[in-house]
Amino acid sequence: MALMAIRMGERNEAGIAAVLPLLAERFGPRLQTSQAVRAQHAHTTTYIPAQLPDGVVFPETAAEVREIVAIACAHCVPLIAFGTGSSLEGHINAPHGGISVDMSRMDKVLSVNPGDLDCTVEPGVTREALNTYLRDTGLFFPIDPGANASIGGMASTRASGTNAVRYGTMKDNVLALTAVTAGAKEIRTAHRAKNPRPDMT
Ligand SMILES: Cc1cc2nc3c(=O)[nH]c(=O)nc-3n(C[C@H](O)[C@H](O)[C@H](O)COP(=O)(O)OP(=O)(O)OC[C@H]3O[C@@H](n4cnc5c(N)ncnc54)[C@H](O)[C@@H]3O)c2cc1C
């Protein structure tokens, strides 16, 4: 494998120039490079000035996320996942450019198991959408950071909020994740069964 040497803290202009056409060819209009869309994906409620990505891509499946990661990884280009952009400390800024990966199209509730008090969702599902979906079961998802954040963004930031004293934070409510590593491998961290030894996590 040929590797490129990129100095920490520098924009990888050649890599970004290579990745954008590859993503455009693969994702068509699901890659956006307009100033308005890039600005929207670099703006959160923060004192840190916006730092725009070079493009925004909208995957619809975990396999597509893997493809995006593989392309970016091969060219040493940063990726910044984007849930709903409600984080407060510049989490979604792109200080060295790169590609924002907007998870909003991965917004399906895949299964609900009322008897086991668990459900499986895609990362772009927002907490309000999940609670609307669950309403008829008499159950609710208790983590409430105040904003209508995505479950992926909340897991990533280990979100808490007004209900944390009673129901815990995301750490206490996420049983398992399917994640794509920086090397474009899909991994599963655990199962639906609760870990009998939480001290071992
Ligand atoms: C009014 C207000 C009140 C708030 N109160 C609280 C509070 O009480 N407690 C609290 O914890 N937070 C609070 N927040 C912050 C914010 O809501 C949380 O950080 C929330 O978890 C962010 O979710 P998001 O979907 O908006 O993520 P984003 O802002 O889009 O992203 C946050 C981070 O997660 C990463 N990310 C997003 N999606 C994924 C994914 N699928 N996979 C991997 N990484 C991903 C992003 O790259 C980024 O680094 C508040 C925000 C607002 C606006």
Side-chain angles (χ1 to χ4, degrees):
M1 178 193 279
L3 292 176
M4 289 183 287
I6 311 293
R7 228 188 279 274
M8 286 286 286
E10 277 184 5
R11 266 176 70 83
N12 173 7
E13 297 295 353
I16 291 165
V19 156
L20 284 172
L22 291 173
L23 291 175
E25 189 184 341
R26 170 62 183 84
F27 292 96
R30 285 195 283 135
L31 174 74
Q32 294 280 320
T33 54
S34 73
Q35 168 80 13
V37 174
R38 291 188 297 121
Q40 184 199 356
H41 286 77
H43 180 76
T44 54
T45 312
T46 175
Y47 66 95
I48 302 168
Q51 293 160 307
L52 276 56
D54 294 276
V56 182
V57 68
F58 296 79
E60 292 178 348
T61 61
E64 287 188 353
V65 173
R66 243 179 18 239
E67 283 183 66
I68 294 163
V69 173
I71 291 170
C73 177
H75 295 276
C76 296
V77 166
L79 290 178
I80 308 101
F82 184 94
T84 66
S86 73
S87 48
L88 300 169
E89 288 91 16
H91 299 56
I92 55 156
N93 283 24
H96 311 305
I99 307 297
S100 173
V101 184
D102 184 314
M103 309 307 295
S104 60
R105 285 183 179 227
M106 293 183 67
D107 62 350
K108 291 179 207 64
V109 177
L110 299 175
S111 66
V112 178
N113 308 291
D116 296 331
L117 304 178
D118 69 47
C119 63
T120 304
V121 301
E122 290 187 332
V125 171
T126 64
R127 65 172 193 82
E128 286 182 9
L130 179 56
N131 276 327
T132 302
Y133 193 97
L134 292 176
R135 198 169 43 200
D136 294 342
T137 64
L139 303 174
F140 82 117
F141 176 70
I143 312 298
D144 179 358
N148 187 19
S150 70
I151 302 297
M154 291 170 67
S156 165
T157 58
R158 190 186 165 185
S160 60
T162 46
N163 292 336
V165 172
R166 178 154 188 167
Y167 297 103
T169 69
M170 283 302 274
K171 174 177 175 287
D172 308 293
N173 285 277
V174 176
L175 291 171
L177 293 171
T178 299
V180 176
T181 67
K185 264 198 196 147
E186 195 173 309
I187 59 162
R188 198 179 155 94
T189 60
H191 303 279
R192 279 179 52 215
K194 282 207 170 72
N195 185 350
R197 292 282 312 274
D199 56 315
M200 299 292 283
T201 55

